[in-house]
Amino acid sequence: DAGVIQSPRHEVTEMGQEVTLRCKPISGHDYLFWYRQTMMRGLELLIYFNNNVPIDDSGMPEDRFSAKMPNASFSTLKIQPSEPRDSAVYFCASSLVGPAGELFFGEGSRLTVL
Amino acid sequence: AQSVTQLDSQVPVFEEAPVELRCNYSSSVSVYLFWYVQYPNQGLQLLLKYLSGSTLVKGINGFEAEFNKSQTSFHLRKPSVHISDTAEYFCAVRAGNNRKLIWGLGTSLAVNP
């Protein structure tokens, strides 16, 4: 079975542009998480979904960030407008329900905003 | 509120030497504990987890960790490391039924020949 698939792997854009990151979770997983990783702040949970419904978006830094999960096999994280401080690696992860709840991570999308 | 502290940001070690990566947590409720590994330019993957039962947990790649409730620790160990173990290691805790993981800041393990 394919793992979590993210695209693009690398994105370089200019300040003010819209950025859309995409994620395909593992089939059958109930939960989907979006994380941001930077050297300064480590791993930050931005938002997570359960059965396509956003459960907790308290980690979304500003209104410039939005996330959707229109169906069980696809999610997007959008930044509009982008700023240099948004430069980071963004990870998507999925998991099954239950206390074990192992997270399966994608390979990440490295975003550079100039 | 829960928190996780990884006591060492960087650990250099020679190949075939033993290593211990330290993790302490705080929580007022029962917890589930995890160690994840991140190889360069990759996502994180699970090394091992403690849910209940035996306090000594064995994971992949020869790693093990011991849950110590009295010291609120979950240190990761390997008796003999390889160059290929060079990576970033993250300790994480989940409290009760909360789906959110609380992450440590990571420990960078550098295995030198």
Side-chain angles (χ1 to χ4, degrees), chain B residues 3-18:
Chain B
S3 67
V4 176
T5 302
Q6 291 186 240
L7 296 159
D8 307 291
S9 60
Q10 295 183 334
V11 173
V13 64
F14 287 109
E15 194 174 17
E16 298 183 6

Side-chain angles (χ1 to χ4, degrees), chain B residues 49-109:
Chain B
K49 62 189 175 189
Y50 171 79
L51 303 181
S52 65
S54 173
T55 57
L56 183 62
V57 179
K58 294 190 183 297
I60 62 172
N61 301 339
F63 283 92
E64 63 181 31
E66 185 158 19
F67 170 56
N68 188 318
K69 188 174 182 179
S70 63
Q71 297 187 3
T72 61
S73 68
F74 190 54
H75 300 335
L76 182 70
R77 301 185 183 99
K78 185 170 182 177
S80 175
V81 294
H82 303 287
I83 297 287
S84 58
D85 292 323
T86 294
E88 192 83 12
Y89 292 79
F90 293 90
C91 181
V93 62
R94 174 182 292 134
N97 291 323
N98 193 329
R99 293 303 303 178
K100 294 170 71 168
L101 277 173
I102 306 301
W103 295 88
L105 291 179
T107 296
S108 178
L109 175 65

Side-chain angles (χ1 to χ4, degrees), chain A residues 4-102:
Chain A
V4 175
I5 299 172
Q6 291 187 245
S7 65
R9 289 295 313 277
H10 301 275
E11 173 94 6
V12 179
T13 190
E14 293 189 347
M15 184 173 64
Q17 296 299 304
E18 178 179 293
V19 173
T20 300
L21 308 178
R22 298 173 178 80
C23 175
K24 177 179 169 55
I26 293 173
S27 177
H29 280 192
D30 305 282
Y31 287 84
L32 184 139
F33 303 79
W34 281 101
Y35 282 93
R36 177 170 68 177
Q37 186 179 38
T38 61
M39 291 291 292
M40 293 299 294
R41 292 188 299 271
L43 268 170
E44 301 173 276
L45 177 64
L46 301 177
I47 185 172
Y48 77 94
F49 296 83
N50 176 216
N51 292 325
N52 314 337
V53 176
I55 302 300
D56 187 339
D57 65 355
S58 61
M60 296 286 262
E62 302 170 33
D63 291 344
R64 298 184 296 107
F65 286 69
S66 63
K68 294 182 179 179
M69 192 165 185
N71 57 61
S73 59
F74 184 65
S75 177
T76 59
L77 178 68
K78 187 174 292 187
I79 308 172
Q80 166 62 18
S82 58
E83 297 182 2
R85 60 193 167 122
D86 302 330
S87 297
V89 181
Y90 291 82
F91 286 102
C92 175
S94 68
S95 75
L96 290 167
V97 68
E102 174 185 351

Side-chain angles (χ1 to χ4, degrees), chain B residues 19-40:
Chain B
V19 70
E20 179 180 79
L21 306 184
R22 297 179 294 167
C23 174
N24 284 93
Y25 70 92
S26 67
S27 175
S28 58
V29 299
S30 61
V31 296
Y32 306 110
L33 296 156
F34 304 81
W35 276 99
Y36 283 79
V37 61
Q38 183 179 27
Y39 298 105

